[in-house]
Amino acid sequence: MNLNKAPSNILDRPLDRPRSSDGVSLSAFAYIYSELVQYHQGRAASISELERRLESAGYGVGLKILELVAYRAKESKRETRLMSILHFVSSYVWKTLFGKSADSLERSIDHADEYMIVDYEPITSTFVSVPSDLGQLSVDAYLSGIIAGVLDGAGFSARVTAHSVKIEEGEVPPTGSGGFSVPGMPPRKEKAVFLVKFSPEVLSRDAALER
Amino acid sequence: MSSKSSAAQSGQALWTKMPKANAELFALTYGSLVTELVRDYEDPIEVNAQLDRIGHSIGVRCVDEFLSKADVAGMGMTTQCQSLRDTAEVVAKMGFKMFLGVQAEVGGFSQDQKSFSIYLQDNPLSTFVELPGDEQGGSDDLRRLKYSNVYCGVIRGALEQVNLKVECNIVRDTLKGDDLNEIRVELKEVLTDGAGDDYKEE
């Protein structure tokens, strides 16, 4: 071993935008993710426990993504309002992670504290088909964990859950951008809806800022 | 694969056709898996074994994807690898390139031509990763963790599917201060085709 060269210190490595060529194949991601799901599946007693486990796996990733995206953002401002942080997540964070914005950001009609981020082709379920005995499982739970991590790190604590929702006939993604449509794959039958339910204190703070 | 450059070219051609994912999300997802393993198993040696097992399960599947895509792309996979040297070239320059976008180099063949090394300059798995160093003390056990051990399993699993039984080991690791990553691959046995003895008719 070369003694003159100190072990590469992680703090010396550049954090700037990676080289343009950077990226791995979607397959490589899918293989690793599938192993992550299988690993947790082997240890979870129920579907909801599996989803919780995937969420907590994503949570730490979300915290790190927030720091990374915030560091790289040109203007160094911090989002303090509810709508702007949601917008930040559905456009900025989404673009960083998936190369496209989320397909839509909606506000729940029934509950003022609930918002929905919709993605028609989340990469975590590209090659996944959920067997019927796992019923309502949404393997995009990992992404909801990431969203929760980002939001929590930014001071907007929220409960985020992933749901697979059947795509109605004739329904088309608003943006029409098939970010991860893979050639040779059948069109998706379900879209992912990430339900964001903010904590009461976040809402009251936002209401106070409104004045 | 006859010449060295053609493997690299084919690898590049395969890579351009692959749908891509964000490398950082990939690295963080792998990190999340390793963290979970470390938390569950505590003993780094056992974590290494688990990573190898996980890699093996990936390897047996990704070799199929590799063969079908390399074939569709008309990469001349009709000519089989004639020697372990050919195999090594294909694994490093086509396999690694196609899935991870990084090119690996081959070298260090042993006298009997039965073992070789794969050198990896950039390791997409280890972005953002730092292992606890000597000075930090405490969790000194983690120094025995082979963070990228999943590669060994992948190579083992993939080659097993083409009847090559190999053993893999990470011998140099940039996370441990080495200047590059080296995976040592050793051919143990060339398996024979066909059903095992258990399935033979009586």
Side-chain angles (χ1 to χ4, degrees):
Chain A
M1 201 170 107
N2 190 350
L3 289 175
N4 296 323
K5 202 182 146 232
S8 72
N9 186 330
I10 194 164
L11 298 176
D12 294 337
R13 290 187 224 158
L15 249 190
D16 289 317
R17 245 166 256 279
R19 289 153 293 148
S20 57
S21 65
D22 246 6
V24 296
S25 69
L26 177 57
S27 311
F29 174 80
Y31 286 126
I32 292 287
Y33 185 66
S34 131
E35 291 300 328
L36 182 79
V37 175
Q38 287 178 51
Y39 181 78
H40 284 292
Q41 194 182 353
R43 281 155 184 271
S46 67
I47 295 168
S48 58
E49 192 194 337
L50 174 56
E51 288 182 340
R52 293 303 86 73
R53 292 184 76 112
L54 289 175
E55 280 167 16
S56 63
Y59 183 82
V61 175
L63 290 176
K64 294 176 183 77
I65 293 286
L66 171 69
E67 286 192 16
L68 198 63
V69 174
Y71 172 81
R72 285 180 189 156
K74 284 197 185 71
E75 69 262 51
S76 49
K77 68 168 182 178
R78 184 171 63 94
E79 305 293 355
T80 53
R81 298 302 305 273
L82 198 109
M83 276 321 290
S84 32
I85 193 75
L86 280 171
H87 199 255
F88 172 82
V89 170
S90 65
S91 58
Y92 235 126
V93 172
W94 232 261
K95 265 189 193 142
T96 306
L97 294 179
F98 316 124
K100 58 154 197 168
S101 310
D103 289 305
S104 72
L105 170 62
E106 294 159 23
R107 182 182 195 147
S108 162
I109 302 163
D110 305 327
H111 304 279
D113 59 348
E114 290 184 356
Y115 292 82
M116 286 166 288
I117 299 173
V118 182
D119 197 308
Y120 281 75
E121 288 170 324
I123 67 168
T124 39
S125 50
T126 311
F127 303 112
V128 174
S129 56
V130 178
S132 51
D133 58 327
L134 289 178
Q136 285 301 304
L137 171 72
S138 172
V139 282
D140 302 315
Y142 179 67
L143 297 186
S144 66
I146 295 183
I147 300 172
V150 171
L151 289 175
D152 217 14
F156 291 83
S157 63
R159 175 94 186 84
V160 187
T161 45
H163 306 272
S164 296
V165 177
K166 200 171 180 300
I167 298 176
E168 301 294 326
E169 217 165 301
E171 184 183 349
V172 280
T175 47
S177 66
F180 276 94
S181 46
V182 176
M185 290 288 285
R188 302 253 195 139
K189 291 197 180 67
E190 288 177 330
K191 59 186 175 184
V193 175
F194 300 100
L195 187 67
V196 182
K197 189 179 175 68
F198 286 106
S199 309
E201 67 269 18
V202 172
L203 289 160
S204 55
R205 185 183 66 204
D206 203 60
L209 285 169
E210 193 72 50
R211 275 178 238 131
Chain B
M1 284 302 123
S2 47
S3 76
K4 285 188 176 184
S5 61
S6 77
Q9 280 166 8
S10 310
Q12 179 62 37
L14 278 169
W15 166 243
T16 22
K17 286 192 181 160
M18 295 296 280
K20 306 290 190 299
N22 182 298
E24 290 164 342
L25 180 63
F26 172 74
L28 291 170
T29 304
Y30 182 68
S32 154
L33 180 62
V34 179
T35 329
E36 188 64 34
L37 285 167
V38 170
R39 215 177 284 145
D40 289 352
Y41 287 94
E42 288 172 7
D43 178 16
I45 304 300
E46 183 56 27
V47 175
N48 294 344
Q50 287 297 322
L51 285 173
D52 185 73
R53 184 192 57 78
I54 286 169
H56 182 267
S57 133
I58 294 176
V60 295
R61 285 181 295 146
C62 82
V63 70
D64 278 340
E65 183 177 355
F66 172 76
L67 289 175
S68 70
K69 291 198 172 158
D71 200 34
V72 167
M75 296 301 174
M77 292 304 286
T78 41
T79 50
Q80 285 184 352
C81 294
Q82 296 301 318
S83 65
L84 192 65
R85 268 182 193 273
D86 289 348
T87 314
E89 286 284 317
V90 172
V91 169
K93 295 187 175 155
M94 294 174 69
F96 272 85
K97 183 74 188 179
M98 167 173 165
F99 289 107
L100 299 171
V102 293
Q103 185 167 322
E105 295 297 330
V106 181
F109 270 90
S110 62
Q111 284 283 315
D112 60 0
Q113 303 286 315
K114 280 197 171 162
S115 65
F116 61 92
S117 285
I118 292 177
Y119 303 107
L120 210 55
Q121 206 59 254
D122 297 315
N123 178 1
L125 290 177
S126 66
T127 323
F128 308 132
V129 175
E130 186 181 35
L131 292 181
D134 304 322
E135 70 280 0
Q136 276 156 305
S139 54
D140 58 341
D141 251 329
L142 274 185
R143 265 176 287 157
R144 291 187 291 155
L145 173 70
K146 292 182 174 172
Y147 187 84
S148 309
N149 215 31
V150 74
Y151 285 140
C152 294
V154 173
I155 297 172
R156 189 168 62 85
L159 291 183
E160 190 182 288
Q161 294 297 302
V162 292
N163 289 346
L164 298 173
K165 192 167 185 252
V166 297
E167 255 177 33
C168 297
N169 244 317
I170 292 183
V171 288
R172 278 197 281 174
D173 189 341
T174 44
L175 288 175
K176 295 186 176 160
D178 298 327
D179 44 7
L180 49 68
N181 302 288
E182 177 178 352
I183 306 166
R184 191 77 195 156
V185 183
E186 199 177 330
L187 179 66
K188 286 288 172 198
E189 191 186 346
V190 178
L191 306 165
T192 41
D193 248 326
D197 290 337
D198 297 352
Y199 299 97
K200 291 244 170 76
E201 278 182 52
E202 294 186 357

